[in-house]
Amino acid sequence: LIDSLLGFNEEDGHLLEDTIEGEAIGVTGHSLGALTSLLTTYGPSRDPRVRAALPIAAPGCLLSEGIADEVSVPLLVLGGTRDLLTPPASNRRAYEVANPPRYLVELLGANHIRFADVDLEDGQILALELVPGLRERDIVSDAREVAQALGGDARSCPAFGTGAAAGEPVSPERQ
């Protein structure tokens, strides 16, 4: 994606012509897009052109301990205190594996879905079958596979089972 955007930056007459500073690339994403932004910033898929990252509602619990290695890129992890899909502990994990400078912002009362500007509560999304045939156990199984590939452990993810501390927002029933 970065290559494509930088190409448009050099293309005569393109809407993005001369609008992107190639030495100041920042990445952001929401939810799995947040995970993508973290993987673009750190780890074996790191793009050294990335100079800042803003993951929003990050499933940071899927990241391995040493993923940041010695890379130091300014990072602001943004999450909500009422997020049922990537609970605060998951965002904190994304913050904890990063090297300074790093910042963690937890918006009091914010849930997962509202970052996407959708007028639903997380519990409503969890109750919907948005993709026919997709079940929660399939999502959990996929998350475990992603975590294993990244060297992380999905069992540490509050939403996926045993990693939640007492009182953590992990499900609509516990809210």
Side-chain angles (χ1 to χ4, degrees):
L1 180 61
I2 294 171
D3 290 335
S4 295
L5 292 172
L6 289 174
F8 294 146
N9 187 59
E10 299 299 321
E11 189 177 313
D12 289 336
H14 193 279
L15 178 67
L16 295 177
E17 180 185 7
D18 295 328
T19 61
I20 301 170
E21 189 175 328
E23 299 300 316
I25 302 292
V27 293
T28 190
H30 174 251
S31 197
L32 291 177
L35 180 61
T36 301
S37 70
L38 288 163
L39 295 175
T40 304
T41 306
Y42 305 112
S45 299
R46 169 174 161 56
D47 188 323
R49 298 172 293 183
V50 172
R51 300 285 195 258
L54 171 62
I56 302 167
C61 57
L62 298 176
L63 300 171
S64 64
E65 185 63 38
I67 193 160
D69 197 22
E70 294 187 20
V71 174
S72 184
V73 172
L75 176 77
L76 189 150
V77 179
L78 178 61
T81 61
R82 294 189 58 217
D83 190 328
L84 298 177
L85 303 175
T86 55
S90 188
N91 286 291
R92 285 184 215 119
R93 172 76 177 154
Y95 167 81
E96 290 164 0
V97 300
N99 297 316
R102 63 186 183 173
Y103 306 91
L104 174 64
V105 175
E106 293 181 338
L107 297 178
L108 186 61
N111 70 18
H112 190 83
I113 301 303
R114 295 294 169 108
F115 284 110
D117 196 25
V118 176
D119 191 22
L120 292 172
E121 296 296 325
D122 289 358
Q124 292 172 293
I125 292 295
L126 292 171
L128 296 175
E129 187 176 341
L130 297 177
V131 178
L134 182 64
R135 296 174 300 277
E136 182 178 354
R137 67 185 156 128
D138 296 327
I139 295 169
V140 170
S141 174
D142 290 348
R144 286 193 177 121
E145 287 180 34
V146 168
Q148 185 175 15
L150 298 175
D153 184 354
R155 291 176 296 182
S156 71
C157 295
F160 297 125
T162 62
E168 285 278 348
V170 295
S171 68
E173 294 78 30
R174 287 188 57 189
Q175 273 295 303

